[in-house]
Amino acid sequence: MGAGLSCSPRIRPCERLSRFSSIRIGGPVSAVISVSGLPEMEEVFSLRSREEIPGPLHFVGRGSNILFPDRGLEGTLVRLEAADLSSACRWREGGEVYVEAGYPLPALAREAARRGIGGFEFLSGIPGTVGGATVMNAGAGGREWASLCRSVTIMTPAGSLETLPAESMAYGYRTSLFGRKRPSGPEETGSGHLPEGSVVVGALLSGFLARPEECQAGLARHLEYRKKTQPIDEPSLGSVFRNPSKGPPGYTAGRLIEEAGLKGEFRGGVMVSRRHANFFVNAGGGCERDFRELLDYVSSRVREHWGIVLEPEVKVWNA
Ligand SMILES: Cc1cc2nc3c(=O)[nH]c(=O)nc-3n(C[C@H](O)[C@H](O)[C@H](O)COP(=O)(O)OP(=O)(O)OC[C@H]3O[C@@H](n4cnc5c(N)ncnc54)[C@H](O)[C@@H]3O)c2cc1C
C-alpha cells in the first residue's frame, strides 16, 4: 500500500472485519476504505488500478447480512457510507428519490415519512444501506425493495456509470441479479452477480404521496413490532435462514426452529436467540466457526424434526 494512503483517515490498514459486521465477527483484512459519493468511488478504482491498495475489492454496506471469515480476507474492504445525508438523497416531485448506495435505510424511511411519501416504512428497522438492500432485495412486513426500486446505478472498475432498469434486476425473495457470486470477490452462498467487479452506487426509488402522520404511524408500528419480537439490542445478522417454500402453511423458518426446541441452543459464543429463533446472536466472543457449527446443527435438527431443508439467508463469505 502506498505510504501516503495509510495516512488518509478514510483508509485504514490492517483492520479487523468484526468492526464492520453487525454480529461483530470476522478476522483480519489488509485494508478498509470508507467511501462516500461518486468521486471517492472513482478514486478507489483508480487506486486499485495503480495497485496502491490491495485487491480484490470487497464491497459492503453495514455488514448486517454478512458472516465474515475468522481467518480474514485478502484485499480491501470497501465500505459504502453517506457522509452527508442531505446531499446523498435527492428528492423529486411525486415521491421519486435518487439515493446513494451508502445511505442508511432507517434514515431513508424517516425522511420519506417526514415528506409524506409512503411505501418506505418497512425499511425503518432494517439496519443496512441502500446498496445492501439493492443486492438483497431487503423486505419486511410483506413489502420488499423491488416494490420501490425503479433503477439501479452501478460503477464499473473503469469508472463508468451504468443505469439498469429494475426489471433487469431479476428480483426474487431476498435475491437479485447482484447477489450472485462475484468473480472478483469472495465466494458466497446465494445467487446472482454484478457485472464483473462493479459496485452499486445508487438507486432511483419511488413511493406514493401520503399524509406524513400516516407514514409516521406506519414507521412506529414497524419499529414497535421489531422491539417486541426481535433481539434488536444484541449483535446479529437478522434472519439466518430464508423462510421455506414447503412445510405447514404459515410456518416461518423461525417457527420451525422454535418448535424443534432450539431456542437458546449455542455453540461457543453464538446462540439461537430466545426472542426470535431465526436470529443467532453473538452472546460474547462468538466467532465464524461457532456460527457455522450452530447453523449446521440447527439445519440438521430442523431436517430431522420437520423433513425441511433450510437455506441460509445470510451471506457466508469464504476466505
Ligand atoms: C437486527 C437486524 C434486522 C434485520 N432485518 C431485516 C429485515 O427485516 N429484512 C431484510 O431483508 N433484512 C434484514 N436484515 C439483514 C440486512 O440488514 C439486510 O439484508 C440489508 O439489506 C443489508 O444491508 P447492508 O448494507 O448491511 O449490506 P451488507 O451486509 O454489507 O452486504 C450484503 C450483500 O450486499 C453486497 N453489497 C452491499 N453493498 C453493496 C454495494 N454498494 N455494491 C455491491 N454490493 C454490495 C455485499 O457484498 C453482500 O453481498 C436485518 C439485519 C439485522 C442485523
Side-chain angles (χ1 to χ4, degrees):
M1 203 185 310
L5 293 175
S6 38
C7 302
S8 161
R10 300 181 75 81
I11 303 182
R12 284 164 280 183
C14 308
E15 271 286 2
R16 295 210 59 90
L17 291 161
S18 53
R19 290 194 56 201
F20 307 96
S21 149
S22 61
I23 195 166
R24 309 274 173 263
I25 285 177
V29 61
S30 321
V32 175
I33 305 190
S34 300
V35 174
S36 183
L38 293 180
E40 286 190 8
M41 185 54 76
E42 270 174 43
E43 179 63 5
V44 166
F45 282 126
S46 131
L47 288 169
R48 177 64 207 126
S49 70
R50 299 196 304 269
E51 303 204 345
E52 291 186 41
I53 52 173
L57 303 178
H58 309 291
F59 301 112
V60 300
R62 288 293 157 98
S64 63
N65 206 47
I66 305 171
L67 180 66
F68 290 124
D70 287 338
R71 64 179 168 148
L73 286 176
E74 291 198 351
T76 302
L77 191 79
V78 182
R79 192 167 188 257
L80 282 91
E81 296 180 352
D84 172 18
L85 289 188
S86 54
S87 65
C89 191
R90 297 184 278 286
W91 293 88
R92 303 172 182 172
E93 290 298 306
E96 264 196 357
V97 60
Y98 178 83
V99 201
E100 290 180 5
Y103 204 93
L105 300 173
L108 180 58
R110 283 195 299 274
E111 186 56 20
R114 196 182 68 77
R115 289 169 178 265
I117 310 297
F120 290 74
E121 297 85 344
F122 73 98
L123 299 174
S124 55
I126 306 181
T129 60
V130 164
T134 301
V135 169
M136 295 303 304
N137 191 17
R143 298 217 38 154
E144 57 181 18
W145 189 251
S147 69
L148 295 173
C149 184
R150 298 293 161 260
S151 64
V152 174
T153 305
I154 60 168
M155 186 181 282
T156 69
S160 63
L161 294 175
E162 254 180 65
T163 296
L164 311 171
E167 299 73 52
S168 66
M169 297 297 127
Y171 276 133
Y173 169 52
R174 302 292 176 272
T175 61
S176 74
L177 177 69
F178 302 118
R180 289 185 198 144
K181 182 180 158 187
R182 289 175 294 124
S184 63
E187 254 196 62
E188 293 176 341
T189 55
S191 57
H193 71 83
L194 275 168
E196 190 171 340
S198 301
V199 59
V200 175
V201 290
L204 180 66
L205 309 172
S206 84
F208 51 88
L209 300 180
R211 299 216 330 266
E213 314 82 81
E214 281 169 13
C215 301
Q216 300 287 2
L219 223 72
R221 267 197 307 279
H222 275 278
L223 289 173
E224 193 51 36
Y225 176 75
R226 274 176 196 272
K227 247 192 241 165
K228 271 199 202 132
T229 59
Q230 299 178 0
I232 54 172
D233 44 1
E234 292 172 85
S236 82
L237 293 172
S239 292
V240 174
F241 296 100
R242 300 155 63 82
N243 288 322
S245 50
K246 293 186 195 147
Y251 267 62
T252 58
R255 189 156 170 200
L256 295 172
I257 299 168
E258 181 172 350
E259 292 191 16
L262 297 168
K263 271 188 167 176
E265 276 293 337
F266 63 92
R267 289 291 177 278
V270 179
M271 187 176 85
V272 177
S273 165
R274 293 187 192 282
R275 182 164 282 213
H276 191 311
N278 200 18
F279 280 53
F280 292 1
V281 295
N282 186 347
C287 63
E288 177 218 353
R289 198 188 56 197
D290 298 340
F291 192 106
R292 280 174 178 269
E293 283 182 10
L294 192 60
L295 190 137
D296 290 345
Y297 178 70
V298 168
S299 309
S300 68
R301 286 284 304 275
V302 167
R303 198 174 56 239
E304 280 161 25
H305 192 94
W306 296 101
I308 293 171
V309 177
L310 292 177
E311 284 173 32
E313 177 172 319
V314 296
K315 301 277 188 189
V316 178
W317 280 17
N318 300 318

